[in-house]
Every structure is written in structure tokens, then in C-alpha cells.
Amino acid sequence: MRQLPHMNELQEKYAGKGLHIFTIYAQNHPVEHIRSLVKDKGIKYPLALSWQDEDQRWDMSSLPAVWIIGTDGKIAFTGKGSYEKVLEEQLAKVKYPGLGGVNVTPELESAAKAFAARDYAQALRLAEAAAEKSDASDATLAAAEAISERVADRLKALKNRAEVAEVENAWRLAEATWQVIERRFAKTDEAAEAAARLQKIKENKKAQLEMEAETAIHVLDRDLQFKEAAIEEWIDSYKKFAEKYKESVWAEKVKPAIERMEEDKKAADEEKKKAQK
Amino acid sequence: MLRIALLAAALLMAGSAWAQSPLKTGDNAPDLNVSYWLDVPEFTSFSEVRGDVILLKAWGSN
């Protein structure tokens, strides 16, 4: 587990330099255990607890497992052993984080740095200011336009994510996304809108219920996995959850899982009867 | 969708061969399809940060 502080160190060392750390907690431990671990170790990077990998491309048969995805979107490293050299080689290719392919002229350096630091509002202000100068070259104008477009794209992607999340009752994601907009577009109309949306979510009892249900089912999931619960307990627990959160979309979402488990239990019981004859 | 909502499917899959081979150096990296984050991060997919460098680590605490 000494890798955990090391990951924090990497995060700090390469902050704003084009490194994005994502992690997956790949063991069946309860959420509370993981949360305590995160707090004790001061983990600051994203941690996924539930994911889909139906084709099992990400080999997690042996932990820890590391992959580096390079600037070309291809796997640059996988497996065990030291990966820092590969990491540094890839990071050396990133001149302006988030702006791959943009020809940043000296006049747009500060805008590019603001973009790398995710201060998108500032990046936009600086890009527009550089473009407004009467002696701006064609290259500068092109770079300013490219940065402005990247900012607009980022905003569009975030707003789309937040709005779709609301429609789909994925309120944790919606709330977190509006918070990102509020933070990264500070002092703009976008931030004000995000603040208003966050207030609405806070006041929305249905949204609060959905967030509670989403967390509850994932906590339950992991608890049952951790204790290697028998299928009867799975079925019973899921049914109790569905009843408690019957006003939530999650009650419907777990129905197929309950049905499937009941079918499997029935099949297993029948097999057992046959074997006993 | 819950990872464990596919419990039955997972039980059926136990011991099955790889549907596709695990990723190796040089392969195009598929996006990570996360359904639940401990805390939702700023970037939730690899596609949002393409062009930069991604370090993905799967770990546990045993």
C-alpha cells in the first residue's frame, strides 16, 4: 500500500502538466472501509467503485495493476514494474495540457496555462484579449480561436452531462458536474446558473432521495459481496431496498437483478433435488 | 447499472475464457465505463482528457 502516497506524489508533481490519474478499487470491501482508507491515506485522486468491463479488457486478476494511456490514446504501459520512465516520456509530449494539437503562440501562453489549470473563464478572457490586439498575427488569432473553442467545448460537455444526468435521475453526477461548472467558470453567468441549479437540487426532495438510494444500493452491494452472502440474503436485501426506496428509480433498476437471482436460486434448488434422488 | 446487479451473470461468467484478450501495449484504450465513483470527479471518462496522459491503477488493500 506504499503506492498510495506515491500516487498522491505523482498527482502533485504533475498537476497541471497533463497527467490524469484514475483508480479503481478492485476488491470486494465495504464502502465504509474504502472511505476510511481514503481518509487515512489522504487519497486525492478519483476512485471508481463500480464499473463495466464486459469484455474484461482491463486485466485485474493481479493487483495492483497499472496502465498508462499515452497522448495518442493507446496503451503505453501495462503490467507490473516501474512505469515512471514511460510516464515521463509521455508527459514530455504534452506541451499544453488539454490543448493537444493547438499551435499556441507566445501571446497565448498565459491563456494556455490558465486552460491547463482548468481556469476556463480566465483562459477565455486571456484568449479574447490576445485576439483583440490590433497587431495580432494570423497564428495568434488562430490559437485564440482554438482555445476559445476548447473552452466552449468543455462547457458544453459539462452542461450536457449535468442536464442528461438530471433527466436520468443520476443526481450525484448532476450535482458534482454543476459544482465543476461553478468552480471552473467562476465569476461568469455560467457559474451563476450552476449555483442556481445546485440550489434547486438541494431543495429537490426527489433528487435527495435518488442520491440516497444510489449510495445505499452500492453500499449494500459491497457489504453483501464482502461477507460472501448467500443468494437468499442477496434476494432478501435487494427486496428490502426496493421497498424502502420504492419512490426512487433504483427500485425499478434492481428488479431485473432480483428476478435473475430468483431464477438462479430456483435452478440451483432443482439441481439439488435431482442430485438427491 | 450495478456491478453486482449482474451477480447472476458474473456467476455464470466465473471461469469463462476471455471474451477479448486483455489490453496490451499499443492497443487503443477503450473508455472506462464507471457507474459509481466514491466521489464523482471532475473528469469522468478518458475521452474528456484525450491528448493528455492517463494513469489508471486498479488496487486493493489486502
Side-chain angles (χ1 to χ4, degrees):
Chain A
M1 287 236 285
R2 62 180 181 278
Q3 323 101 354
L4 301 179
H6 176 60
M7 297 286 278
N8 277 341
E9 284 161 15
L10 287 178
Q11 176 117 328
E12 278 177 37
K13 186 177 174 186
Y14 297 114
K17 293 179 183 168
L19 174 64
H20 303 275
I21 295 177
F22 293 86
T23 66
I24 294 172
Y25 196 88
Q27 286 183 305
N28 292 328
H29 291 150
V31 172
E32 277 317 301
H33 167 81
I34 299 167
R35 214 170 257 296
S36 292
L37 200 61
V38 164
K39 190 179 172 190
D40 290 346
K41 301 294 175 190
I43 289 170
K44 299 182 181 91
Y45 36 83
L47 183 52
L49 299 189
S50 182
W51 63 96
Q52 280 74 56
D53 181 24
E54 288 173 8
D55 293 334
Q56 297 179 55
R57 304 297 315 275
W58 304 100
D59 179 6
M60 296 181 206
S61 54
S62 170
L63 298 177
V66 171
W67 299 263
I68 292 172
I69 300 166
T71 57
D72 59 0
K74 293 183 192 288
I75 303 289
F77 174 94
T78 179
K80 294 193 178 290
S82 176
Y83 51 80
E84 285 214 47
K85 187 164 174 263
V86 173
L87 193 60
E88 285 176 4
E89 281 168 4
Q90 288 297 322
L91 285 167
K93 298 179 188 178
V94 180
K95 201 166 176 209
Y96 299 103
L99 294 174
V102 174
N103 179 25
V104 176
T105 59
E107 294 82 0
L108 272 307
E109 284 270 350
S110 50
K113 281 182 183 164
F115 192 94
R118 301 179 217 161
D119 187 349
Y120 300 121
Q122 179 67 343
L124 186 63
R125 280 191 285 269
L126 290 168
E128 287 174 344
E132 278 164 10
K133 288 193 172 151
S134 56
D135 60 347
S137 65
D138 288 345
T140 292
L141 290 173
E145 188 178 341
I147 291 174
S148 299
E149 277 175 10
R150 294 291 171 105
V151 171
D153 286 346
R154 183 68 189 138
L155 177 64
K156 188 176 168 187
L158 286 168
K159 281 182 91 167
N160 187 56
R161 189 169 95 191
E163 283 166 359
V164 168
E166 287 194 11
V167 168
E168 293 181 347
N169 284 299
W171 290 98
R172 280 180 91 233
L173 180 59
E175 183 182 65
T177 309
W178 289 121
Q179 286 169 345
V180 171
I181 295 173
E182 191 184 25
R183 193 164 63 245
R184 300 299 183 198
F185 291 88
K187 299 177 193 169
T188 66
D189 290 342
E190 311 298 345
E193 185 197 343
R197 297 294 280 259
L198 284 166
Q199 186 57 32
K200 273 192 180 168
I201 290 174
K202 205 173 163 184
E203 293 161 359
N204 182 337
K205 285 183 181 166
K206 174 89 167 104
Q208 296 301 317
L209 176 71
E210 294 297 348
M211 285 197 271
E212 185 186 310
E214 184 183 356
T215 296
I217 191 61
H218 284 91
V219 167
L220 176 63
D221 234 34
R222 278 191 168 263
D223 283 348
L224 291 168
Q225 276 260 324
F226 179 65
K227 62 200 267 203
E228 296 178 345
I231 196 149
E232 291 85 358
E233 188 175 352
W234 275 93
I235 294 167
D236 187 54
S237 299
Y238 264 51
K239 283 183 171 176
K240 281 180 178 157
F241 168 85
E243 177 55 32
K244 182 176 177 181
Y245 291 102
K246 58 179 179 252
E247 302 298 324
S248 154
V249 299
W250 284 94
E252 276 302 307
K253 281 188 183 184
V254 300
K255 263 190 189 167
I258 294 171
E259 284 164 11
R260 189 71 185 266
M261 286 190 282
E262 283 179 329
E263 280 169 21
D264 285 350
K265 182 180 179 310
K266 190 177 166 187
D269 288 346
E270 281 170 7
E271 279 297 317
K272 210 171 165 183
K273 274 185 195 165
K274 278 186 193 168
Q276 282 166 353
K277 280 184 183 170
Chain B
M1 188 188 280
L2 300 168
R3 182 167 61 94
I4 301 305
L6 298 171
L7 172 65
L11 289 171
L12 288 173
M13 280 170 67
S16 64
W18 298 109
Q20 286 194 45
S21 59
L23 291 163
K24 56 187 187 302
T25 304
D27 284 345
N28 287 322
D31 216 329
L32 194 62
N33 189 359
V34 174
S35 50
Y36 191 80
W37 298 94
L38 185 65
D39 295 300
V40 180
E42 183 158 345
F43 297 108
T44 56
S45 66
F46 294 163
S47 55
E48 290 180 86
V49 295
R50 284 268 194 249
D52 287 353
V53 180
I54 296 165
L55 191 160
L56 173 66
K57 186 166 200 159
W59 60 282
S61 57
N62 280 353

